[in-house]
Amino acid sequence: MRWLDVDATIDHMNKTPAADNPFADADSAEGRRAPPPCAVVLFGASGDLTRRKLVPAIYNLLRDGHLPGGFAIVGFARRDWSDDQFRAELLDGVREHARSFSEDDGLWERLAGATFYHRASFDDAGGFESLGKRLAGLDDDLGTGGNRLFYLATAPEYFAPIVGRLGAAGLVQRPSAAAGPRGEPWTRVIVEKPFGHDVESARELNCAFLDVLDESQIYRIDHYLGKETVQNILAFRFSNGIFEPLWNQKYIDHVQITVSEDLGVGSRGPYYESSGALRDMMQNHILQLLSLVAMEPPVSLDADAIRDEKVKVLRSMRPLRGEAVLRSSVRGQYVAGSILGEPVPGYREEERVDPASVTATYVALRVSIDSWRWAGVPFYLRHGKRLPKKATEIAIQFRVPPMRLFGSATARSVQPNVLILNIQPDEGISLRFGSKVPGPDIRVRPVKMDFRYGHSFGVASPDAYERLLLDAITGDSTLFTRRDEVEHAWRFIDEIDRAWRDAGADGLRFYEAGTWGPQEADDLLEGDDVWRRL
Ligand code: BG6
C-alpha cells in the first residue's frame, strides 16, 4: 500500500489518451457495444425538436466517432420539401445547436449525403409502404443492414396511429426468440413525451404499442435521464462507500428537488394549456429525479434491474388525495414581471393562452415515501416557469448533530450539512459543512466542498439526446422509462390533478415573473425547513 497523490492521478487521467489510460481500459472492459448499422426515421421531421435537438445530436455523435459505418437519416413529414430543402433546414439547426461545428471538415457533407426526406402523411398507408421501399434501397446503397430506429417526434395524437401503420406496412417485427448469434435485423421505436395525459390514456397508448411491438422495442424518452449529471446520481450513490450508509431516514432530514426555469411558455401556449407544470415537468422529469435519489441499490446495472428499483419508489409514494392534495401542494401562475431587468408578460397574456386560464405554471409538492429507508423524511419538489433563473438541483439536507456542543451563543450559526447535486447549469456536487472561523473564539461558519464537472474533467458534457440516441441504437434501454414506471407516475399525478380541477380557480396563486413563486409555497415546509435560495 502507498500514499496516493490524488491531484496527480486526476491530472494523469485527463492528459492520457484513452488507449493508454488504465482507467479508460477499466471502463471499456464493461463498455458499450459498437453501434450497429441502421437507418433512423424521424417522424415529425419538419418540427422544432428535429432541427434543434435530434439532428445536432446525431451530428455530434458523428463528430465523436460514435455513428456506425452504415447509417442514414430519413425525415418523414407532410411539408412539401425536397431532400435538399430538408438538408438545408437541418444544416441551419446544426450550425446553431451542435456542440461544435466546422464548415471545412466535410463532416456535414457526409451526414447530408446520408440524409433523405420522405414526404407523406401520417394517416396515409401508401406513405408507409413507400417508406419501406426507400429503407430497403438504403440497406443496399448505404449498408444500413435492415435495422431501423423510428423516432416519434410528432404531436402525441399521432403516436398510436404511426405505430399501427408501421405494423400494417410490415415495417416492425417483434424480436424472435430464435435469433442467431449474429442477431437479426431489429426495429425499435423512440417515443417523445408526453406519453399519455393521465393513467388511462397512458395505458391505452401502451396497449396500442404492445399490439405491434415488444416492450423491449419501446424506448419512452425522458431527456432528463440522458443528462450527464442525472446519470451521475447512480454513480455517486453506488460507487462511493461514504454516502450510502447515511442515505436514509436516520441521517437525512429532508430532500428538496428544484427545477426552475426563467423562460415562459413562449409559443407553446396550446400545448401548455393542456399540460401545465404538473404534467409537463412533475410527472416525468421530477419524479424520475426523485426515483433515482430514493431508489434502493439495484442488483446490477441492467436496464430492468435499475428500473425495477425506480418503480418500487413510485409505488411507495404515499398517494395524495382530496384534502391531502390541498394541504401538500401549491400551484401558481405567473403574472407580468421582469427577468434580468426585462419586462415579460403574464401567462394569461402569452400567445394562444386563454385570458382566464387557471393552468398552473408553478407547482410545489410535499411528498412522502412509505418505505423502511424514507419513513418520516419529507421530499419537497418544486418547479416553475418565469422564476429568477434556470437551475436544477437536488439538495439532501442532513439532520443536525444530536447535541449542540458549541453552546447557545453560536447555535444559530451551526447549520445542517447539505449535499447538493447540481444538475444544471453549473454541473457539479457540493457539500456544506461547518468549520471553525480562525481566531481566538469558537465560531462556526458553513463552508463548501465543491466538485465541478468542467474543472475536473475539462470536457463539455454531451447533450442528453446524444446519449439517448446512441443507447437506442445500441439497444440499451436503461435510460428510458418502462411501461409500469410511466403508469405509476401518472397514477400519482392524476389524483393531484383531479383535486386541483375540483377546486377550480380556488387555490391558484399568482406570482410575479422573476420571483421565486407564490409565498404559500413556504407553508408547505415543515418545522424550520426553508426552500433553498438558488
Ligand atoms: C421539457 C418541457 O420536457 O423540458 C419544457 O416540456 C421544459 O417545458 C424543458 O422547458 C426543460 O428541459 P431542460 O433540459 O431545458 O431543463
Side-chain angles (χ1 to χ4, degrees), residues 414-442:
V414 176
Q415 294 189 15
N417 299 118
V418 185
L419 178 75
I420 298 151
L421 310 178
N422 272 306
I423 306 295
Q424 60 185 15
D426 195 11
E427 298 153 335
I429 297 176
S430 55
L431 180 65
R432 183 176 82 185
F433 58 96
S435 171
K436 180 183 168 302
V437 179
D441 305 329
I442 300 268

Side-chain angles (χ1 to χ4, degrees), residues 278-289:
L278 192 63
R279 291 196 175 102
D280 185 47
M281 297 293 285
M282 196 56 87
Q283 184 270 344
N284 38 66
H285 309 322
I286 298 180
L287 291 189
Q288 285 295 323
L289 295 179

Side-chain angles (χ1 to χ4, degrees), residues 190-209:
I190 301 186
V191 53
E192 263 298 329
K193 67 175 271 264
F195 196 88
H197 55 268
D198 57 15
V199 69
E200 271 317 307
S201 55
R203 232 185 253 142
E204 276 167 26
L205 200 50
N206 275 325
C207 290
F209 275 48

Side-chain angles (χ1 to χ4, degrees), residues 193 223-224 227 261 268 271 280-281 285 385 390 424:
K193 67 175 271 264
H223 78 278
Y224 265 55
K227 290 182 192 278
E261 293 187 286
R268 297 163 77 218
Y271 155 74
D280 185 47
M281 297 293 285
H285 309 322
K385 296 229 182 259
K390 180 165 176 74
Q424 60 185 15

Side-chain angles (χ1 to χ4, degrees), residues 40-55 58 74-79 86 90 122 149-160 162-163 166 188-194 209 219-221 465 469:
V40 176
V41 181
L42 303 173
F43 289 95
S46 54
D48 203 41
L49 191 72
T50 299
R51 188 182 163 283
R52 267 189 324 115
K53 291 287 182 189
L54 303 182
V55 176
I58 291 174
V74 179
F76 186 119
R78 275 169 296 198
R79 210 167 287 185
F86 181 48
L90 299 183
F122 303 143
L149 178 62
F150 297 107
Y151 198 119
L152 310 188
T154 64
E157 62 266 29
Y158 297 116
F159 293 164
I162 292 175
V163 168
L166 286 172
R188 298 180 187 133
V189 175
I190 301 186
V191 53
E192 263 298 329
K193 67 175 271 264
F209 275 48
Y219 289 66
R220 299 174 193 81
I221 209 161
Y465 280 93
L469 276 161

